[in-house]
Amino acid sequence: MTINPKLQPTLTGYLRSDGRKGIRNLVVVAYLVECAHHVAREITLSFRHQNVHLIGFPGCYPNGYADKVMRQLVTHPNVGAVLLISLGCESFNKQGLETLVHATGRPVHTLTIQQTGGTKSTIAQGVEWVQHAQEAIASTQRVAMQIEELVVATVCGGSDGTSGITANPAVGRAFDTLVEQGAACIFEETGELVGCEFHMKRRAATPELGEEIVACIEKAAKYYTVLGHGSFAPGNADGGLTTQEEKSLGAYAKSGGSPIQGILKPGDLAPTGGLYLLDVVPDGEVRFGFPNISDNAEIVELISCGAHMTLFTTGRGSVVGSAISPVIKICANPQTFASLSEDMDVNAGRILDGEATLEEVGQEIAQLVVRVAQGEPSKSEEMGHQEFILTYKNFTPIGPTCLPIRQSIPVQTI
């Protein structure tokens, strides 16, 4: 694909201690058990549209996956400060989480409801702390940032018969452009790629990785077989999709045509630029039910892999966004775009109407990625969407054949 020279601006990002750079500088309020959710939400609501985001884990019992994902989220490059809200008797390792954030130089504080006087007292203390944190991170150093330092993810939701011929392949074209310029791009979901494993194997950077990709999809197929259903939903059928294979090929189109450099699992960071597959189906015996209960659970996992933003394709329509990283909506169906234009960033349905080509919409998406990285809010971000879901799962570490060797990027202050 010919690179549009306009895609090569100098960006600026918020420099973090690990060398990564954020395109946003927000405060995260994180509850560590459902019992603390209300208090954390009330603190956040005091700062509507002020870059204070609510995230959390509802479970009372520990889970290694949730701990790993949460650790990556509170140290995500878009996050500048963290307030942890604990009830006091949950099993989440709040001390470990606070110590981790503190070591990065970010402002961090933990409020334990059982020790701070209850709901009203904790909310008051939390609001006061967030105000101080906002003042502290306002002076965070910004440095020069290149496109090759961006991590861009993609997910599809509410797919219909138009998704695989407009929005999804257009995102694939955008991915090819971004990968060619050195960015890391992540596509998923293995449960929606059943049947495409040998297409991906042929694109793997190494033969060993190709075998891992096949095994990854076989695991997903087995998981869904045990559950008794796949990822094909009634809404997909209502939208004109006829089979799981048809949906898989449409989902696969989002990956573009670049070589696949590696496999990630939730919480793993892409060590280099290039295209990566995110495996979201748990390892081991089937014990957690449906791998992702909604699109937002997948978005959270993509963000835990360092995604600065997510390209969300939809045919039927979706109005969700996400905490921490902006979501860009690419609408596949021109009729859906007409109905939900206030929530959609790109009308890929123009391809169906003959008003634009795949290449043109792909470039439009890539240009929007740059503008959002420069600070332009996406539609969902502008409207304050902060959807977030983190549940229980189990994963084993990836093997050495799944990832390339990490590269470093020099830091230039401005």
Side-chain angles (χ1 to χ4, degrees):
M1 174 178 287
T2 302
I3 300 177
N4 189 327
K6 294 181 180 179
L7 260 181
Q8 299 176 336
T10 298
L11 309 175
T12 61
Y14 297 94
L15 179 63
R16 308 304 180 189
S17 61
D18 61 2
R20 293 187 293 167
K21 298 156 190 176
I23 63 171
R24 300 293 186 267
N25 191 33
L26 53 89
V27 178
V28 155
V29 179
Y31 59 91
L32 305 182
V33 65
E34 185 61 25
C35 306
H37 190 165
H38 173 75
V39 169
R41 181 174 58 246
E42 288 297 310
I43 294 169
T44 308
L45 288 175
S46 298
F47 300 93
R48 287 180 63 86
H49 301 291
Q50 295 183 46
N51 287 325
V52 179
H53 287 202
L54 176 67
I55 68 173
F57 178 61
C60 192
Y61 294 93
N63 178 250
Y65 154 83
D67 184 76
K68 180 179 181 179
V69 169
M70 187 69 83
R71 284 171 171 263
Q72 293 290 21
L73 294 175
V74 296
T75 57
H76 189 280
N78 287 353
V79 174
V82 179
L83 176 62
L84 304 175
I85 305 298
S86 162
L87 175 62
C89 53
E90 71 276 1
S91 298
F92 208 103
N93 183 4
K94 61 185 178 184
Q95 291 86 4
L97 204 59
E98 180 175 350
T99 299
L100 172 73
V101 178
H102 184 267
T104 69
R106 292 172 171 85
V108 60
H109 185 57
T110 301
L111 290 174
T112 302
I113 297 170
Q114 292 172 349
Q115 299 173 3
T116 53
T119 297
K120 291 182 179 179
S121 298
T122 309
I123 292 171
Q125 292 180 46
V127 169
E128 182 180 7
W129 188 87
V130 169
Q131 290 172 336
H132 291 310
Q134 287 180 313
E135 295 173 2
I137 67 174
S139 59
T140 303
Q141 184 181 22
R142 298 191 68 140
V143 300
M145 182 177 181
Q146 305 301 321
I147 291 179
E148 63 192 272
E149 297 175 87
L150 283 177
V151 181
V152 183
T154 187
V155 65
C156 50
S159 299
D160 70 4
T162 69
S163 297
I165 56 178
T166 60
N168 290 3
V171 166
R173 298 297 199 280
F175 262 25
D176 288 341
T177 296
L178 294 165
V179 165
E180 194 170 353
Q181 295 189 49
C185 292
I186 308 171
F187 73 105
E188 50 68 66
E189 149 198 19
T190 48
E192 291 191 353
L193 293 169
V194 175
C196 299
E197 56 267 35
F198 292 100
H199 295 297
M200 292 186 285
K201 179 181 179 179
R202 288 192 291 269
R203 293 170 56 193
T206 66
E208 294 80 10
L209 175 61
E211 295 299 330
E212 292 285 354
I213 289 173
V214 172
C216 190
I217 303 302
E218 289 177 344
K219 177 190 70 170
K222 179 181 177 182
Y223 199 100
Y224 281 111
T225 298
V226 173
L227 288 176
H229 59 77
S231 64
F232 192 89
N236 300 139
D238 291 342
L241 288 171
T242 60
T243 63
Q244 176 67 58
E245 291 78 7
E246 187 179 18
K247 183 180 181 184
S248 291
L249 286 169
Y252 174 67
K254 301 196 308 297
S255 67
S258 303
I260 300 172
Q261 297 298 325
I263 298 173
L264 303 173
K265 295 186 180 183
D268 294 331
L269 301 181
T272 69
L275 181 66
Y276 293 85
L277 169 65
L278 175 62
D279 176 11
V280 300
V281 175
D283 293 316
E285 296 300 318
V286 178
R287 43 187 183 135
F288 295 106
F290 200 77
N292 286 90
I293 60 175
S294 84
D295 300 319
N296 282 94
E298 296 170 280
I299 294 174
V300 168
E301 291 178 328
L302 290 163
I303 296 172
S304 77
C305 293
H308 289 95
M309 67 188 81
T310 298
L311 306 177
F312 189 128
T313 66
T314 183
R316 299 296 305 278
S318 173
V319 299
V320 302
S322 179
I324 298 179
S325 294
V327 169
I328 297 173
K329 292 284 182 45
I330 299 104
C331 188
N333 191 318
Q335 294 179 350
T336 302
F337 185 86
S339 300
L340 295 172
S341 59
E342 66 183 35
D343 289 278
M344 302 298 155
D345 296 280
V346 176
N347 180 12
R350 292 182 294 123
I351 298 168
L352 200 64
D353 288 337
E355 298 174 359
T357 66
L358 277 173
E359 296 290 340
E360 289 169 342
V361 177
Q363 285 293 330
E364 180 183 348
I365 295 168
Q367 293 285 354
L368 183 55
V369 165
V370 171
R371 298 203 306 274
V372 170
Q374 291 172 323
E376 178 180 319
S378 68
K379 290 284 189 71
S380 61
E381 185 181 19
E382 189 174 39
M383 289 186 286
H385 280 280
Q386 295 183 20
E387 286 81 359
F388 185 92
I389 299 175
L390 179 59
T391 58
Y392 285 91
K393 281 188 178 182
N394 180 69
F395 288 93
T396 57
I398 57 175
T401 61
C402 290
L403 289 174
I405 298 174
R406 181 181 296 276
Q407 297 175 348
S408 60
I409 298 176
V411 174
Q412 296 180 334
T413 59
I414 60 173

